[in-house]
């Protein structure tokens, strides 16, 4: 953060998207979970918000996609932090998480294939040999990784965020390409 912050200038836009790798309630505990992890997450996000506002930097919170399951993988308490902070601080929030849950609920199998590293051999995205030699151990061992996005998934998320920027941060709309 200090090196990023040092390069921000008044009027810049700073998009923050934390969730999957920041959802680590077992990292510092015995696996039962730290009851303070949500409050610590909230505190750090608020710090970014406060520091951006003090520098007149426009901050936009982007809630990342849910994992490739139809229920809220992270739990409501955790995934609601960004939208709540955005509302209480009057800043934009693009909720990719809620949108992907909506999509996954409507068509679980289709959306997993569209967005995630899912059944890549069956879809002829990679060969079985490439899968066997892949460095992603989850993908290699299970043949699927429902945390990380495929190229088409990344394209979809980028398009969704760009579309939401038109209403959430209209000053940025002039920079968007069709």
């Amino acid at each position: 953060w200090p090196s990023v912050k040092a390069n921000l200038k008044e009027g810049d836009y700073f998009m923050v998207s934390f969730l999957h790798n920041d959802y680590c309630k077992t990292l510092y505990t015995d696996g039962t979970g730290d009851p303070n992890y949500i409050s610590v997450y909230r505190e750090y996000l608020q710090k970014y918000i406060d520091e951006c506002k003090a520098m007149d930097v426009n901050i936009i919170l982007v809630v990342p996609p849910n994992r490739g399951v139809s229920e809220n993988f992270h739990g409501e308490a955790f995934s609601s932090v960004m939208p709540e902070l955005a509302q209480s601080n009057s800043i934009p929030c693009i909720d990719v998480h809620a949108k992907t849950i909506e999509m996954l609920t409507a068509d679980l199998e289709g959306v997993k294939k569209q967005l995630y590293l899912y059944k890549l051999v069956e879809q002829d995205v990679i060969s079985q040999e490439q899968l066997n030699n892949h460095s992603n151990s989850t993908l290699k061992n299970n043949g699927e990784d429902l945390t990380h996005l495929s190229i088409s998934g990344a394209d979809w998320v980028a398009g969704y965020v760009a579309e939401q920027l038109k209403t959430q941060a209209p000053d940025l709309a002039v920079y968007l390409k069709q």
Side-chain angles (χ1 to χ4, degrees):
W1 171 237
S3 62
V4 171
K5 185 176 148 186
N7 288 294
L8 291 172
K9 296 179 274 323
E10 182 179 329
D12 281 352
Y13 283 82
F14 179 64
M15 297 175 77
V16 177
S17 184
F18 289 142
L19 193 61
H20 288 321
N21 294 332
D22 304 293
Y23 179 77
C24 214
K25 66 181 179 181
T26 59
L27 185 60
Y28 303 106
T29 70
D30 62 4
T32 59
D34 175 358
N36 296 317
Y37 76 98
I38 292 173
S39 62
V40 171
Y41 177 65
R42 182 184 304 276
E43 287 172 27
Y44 275 98
L45 284 171
Q46 188 64 57
K47 173 185 165 80
Y48 288 127
I49 293 166
D50 293 342
E51 292 184 15
C52 284
K53 283 186 168 188
M55 297 175 2
D56 288 323
V57 168
N58 302 290
I59 185 167
I60 302 170
L61 302 181
V62 180
V63 190
N66 194 53
R67 289 190 175 163
V69 293
S70 55
E71 66 275 355
N72 185 336
F73 180 85
H74 300 98
E76 190 59 35
F78 195 78
S79 60
S80 65
V81 170
M82 280 188 166
E84 289 169 4
L85 283 175
Q87 183 175 7
S88 66
N89 287 277
S90 300
I91 60 172
C93 181
I94 300 171
D95 197 343
V96 180
H97 189 261
K99 183 63 177 175
T100 53
I101 289 176
E102 175 188 316
M103 292 168 58
L104 287 157
T105 300
D107 180 13
L108 181 63
E109 194 70 15
V111 174
K112 286 194 299 189
K113 287 180 183 176
Q114 175 191 356
L115 300 184
Y116 302 91
L117 298 174
Y118 181 68
K119 295 190 177 183
L120 299 180
V121 173
E122 292 90 338
Q123 295 184 71
D124 290 322
V125 174
I126 62 174
S127 69
Q128 185 64 50
E129 181 181 354
Q130 288 171 311
L131 177 62
N132 294 342
N133 294 321
H134 205 282
S135 62
N136 178 325
S137 60
T138 302
L139 182 62
K140 184 175 177 180
N141 294 334
N142 300 329
E144 61 185 54
D145 177 345
L146 297 176
T147 298
H148 298 99
L149 299 171
S150 63
I151 292 171
S152 64
D155 284 344
W156 179 86
V157 168
Y160 182 75
V161 169
E163 190 62 33
Q164 295 301 305
L165 284 174
K166 292 176 183 176
T167 56
Q168 295 288 328
D171 293 346
L172 291 178
V174 297
Y175 300 103
L176 299 173
K177 295 180 180 180
Q178 292 296 350

